[in-house]
Amino acid sequence: MPEVNYDDKNWFYIKNGRAMVSLGSLNQYKTCPYSCAFCYVQDGFIPYAKKNINEIVDFLIRHREKYDIIYVSGDTDSFAKPRTQTGISLLQSISENINCDLLFTTRTIFSSEDLQQLKKVVNTLKNKNKDLFACISITRFSDEVSYLEPYPIPSPQARIDTIKHLHNIGAVTVLALRPFLPIVKVTDYLSILNICKDYIDIALGEAFYFQKDGKIEKRVFPNGIPNKVETALKKVHMDFNENNKEWEIWESEFIESTIRNFCDKNNVIFSMHSADAINNYKSQKNLQILL
Ligand code: SF4
């Protein structure tokens, strides 16, 4: 795990109106309870500081003028077992102490008790005219590429069911089909969307970042990078983390336009960037209030 020296100002990541926080590393050996093949933390994404709930909320209050939305997301899954309750308690504390939209991302599934608590977070925020954006990540549907999301990540179907439960408690539901990967067929994404389309508000894609000869490359492409991928690569810096590395980036206009068309036909907001999707959702909501 990378060693990082933090001062109070950069425990977490605040930029472009977003504050990104998390529970930090699971322990001294593992950043996250899960181990996705494409996880950026393996190859240089700088993880956040490990702080308790009071410290995280104090940090957010101290820096309140710098952001319009809080993400509990980033370097770890703060809701995966064994930290599900701590992650929910963090959402509760943020919703009670800060007047702000709140988004969380996870690959976990929630029990009915968890959902009752999340419903209270939804209602606390609604009373402040704010939303809870509940984002569930699903990167594949077919078992052929199940190695991308290894055990103990719950099955795609279990996560699809979780999105429905989150929709039923009044959360704004976000399906993160992220990142779009060259070894996942577009039919996988369409299968997931077909099942979820009636209870998701937003679908997100994302370009795929990896380091040449790094861990992500070896795990995502166990048989080597396909030629057509190699020739389409570009080099970029990440604009959502302070690491200074140059990353190989792969994007697919075909996947993006196919998913966009599906979403347009089914009244689901689609974007490759969460900030754009959230702004779009809020404008549509404001329009409905005016009509
Ligand atoms: S859940 Fe997120 S942080 Fe955890 S291993 Fe997967 S991609 Fe990385």
Side-chain angles (χ1 to χ4, degrees):
M1 228 169 59
E3 282 281 329
V4 186
N5 287 321
Y6 295 99
D7 68 34
D8 160 80
K9 282 193 209 70
N10 63 9
W11 283 356
F12 302 109
Y13 185 79
I14 303 184
K15 214 169 187 178
N16 301 327
R18 282 189 304 187
M20 302 188 73
V21 300
S22 78
L23 293 179
S25 297
L26 177 65
N27 56 41
Q28 59 178 313
Y29 308 108
K30 273 195 100 192
T31 309
C32 181
Y34 295 148
S35 179
C36 304
F38 44 83
C39 180
Y40 304 142
V41 179
Q42 308 170 87
D43 272 342
F45 181 102
I46 299 174
Y48 305 155
K50 186 175 174 72
K51 298 291 161 190
N52 66 36
I53 291 177
N54 287 342
E55 289 170 321
I56 298 170
V57 174
D58 283 350
F59 170 90
L60 288 166
I61 291 170
R62 276 202 306 283
H63 295 276
R64 180 64 188 92
E65 77 288 355
K66 298 181 189 158
Y67 60 83
D68 305 311
I69 184 164
I70 299 164
Y71 283 35
V72 180
S73 184
D75 63 333
T76 188
D77 193 320
S78 299
F79 302 88
K81 285 179 188 164
R83 299 193 292 185
T84 312
Q85 183 54 56
T86 316
I88 293 173
S89 299
L90 174 60
L91 295 179
Q92 281 169 336
S93 185
I94 292 172
S95 67
E96 284 161 11
N97 290 291
I98 305 175
N99 191 6
C100 191
D101 287 318
L102 180 55
L103 177 148
F104 73 91
T105 304
T106 187
R107 288 186 156 77
T108 201
I109 52 175
F110 294 110
S111 67
S112 44
E113 291 78 21
D114 297 335
L115 289 163
Q116 282 310 311
Q117 293 183 64
L118 288 168
K119 189 173 179 178
K120 283 190 189 147
V121 175
V122 169
N123 291 336
T124 304
L125 289 169
K126 280 207 168 131
N127 287 336
K128 299 176 176 185
N129 203 19
K130 301 293 178 192
D131 286 307
L132 180 67
F133 293 83
C135 179
I136 298 289
S137 298
I138 309 176
T139 310
R140 57 93 201 180
F141 194 63
S142 145
D143 284 344
E144 271 170 54
V145 281
S146 60
Y147 70 91
L148 294 168
E149 296 179 320
Y151 180 85
I153 296 177
S155 70
Q157 186 60 54
R159 281 174 279 160
I160 288 169
D161 295 342
T162 299
I163 299 180
K164 188 170 190 177
H165 299 321
L166 290 162
H167 169 80
N168 289 343
I169 62 163
V172 181
T173 45
V174 184
L175 167 67
L177 300 165
R178 311 182 108 179
F180 284 147
L181 291 168
I183 31 83
V184 175
K185 294 187 183 115
V186 74
T187 47
D188 256 39
Y189 302 126
L190 292 172
S191 300
I192 299 167
L193 279 162
N194 242 321
I195 307 173
C196 296
K197 62 182 186 315
D198 294 334
Y199 40 88
I200 55 169
D201 297 291
I202 293 170
L204 296 175
E206 188 181 56
F208 170 48
Y209 296 72
F210 67 99
Q211 289 291 314
K212 210 73 182 126
D213 301 319
K215 293 187 181 129
I216 300 172
E217 179 188 317
K218 290 192 176 73
R219 292 186 60 200
V220 170
F221 304 114
N223 303 316
I225 306 180
N227 237 347
K228 63 171 189 199
V229 174
E230 183 90 54
T231 49
L233 295 175
K234 289 181 238 161
K235 282 191 188 302
V236 295
H237 287 99
M238 282 180 166
D239 62 0
F240 48 90
N241 189 251
E242 298 292 4
N243 75 77
N244 288 322
K245 290 188 163 192
E246 269 203 330
W247 294 75
E248 304 288 336
I249 187 175
W250 179 84
E251 295 169 289
S252 163
E253 273 179 33
F254 169 68
I255 297 179
E256 200 178 321
S257 62
T258 307
I259 302 304
R260 188 180 301 284
N261 285 342
F262 180 96
C263 289
D264 287 351
K265 280 186 196 135
N266 289 282
N267 284 326
V268 173
I269 293 167
F270 171 73
S271 180
M272 297 292 278
H273 302 283
S274 60
D276 293 344
I278 288 165
N279 288 340
N280 194 343
Y281 174 83
K282 290 176 86 71
S283 329
Q284 289 189 15
K285 187 175 158 188
N286 289 338
L287 200 62
Q288 276 165 10
I289 291 168
L290 286 173
L291 289 174

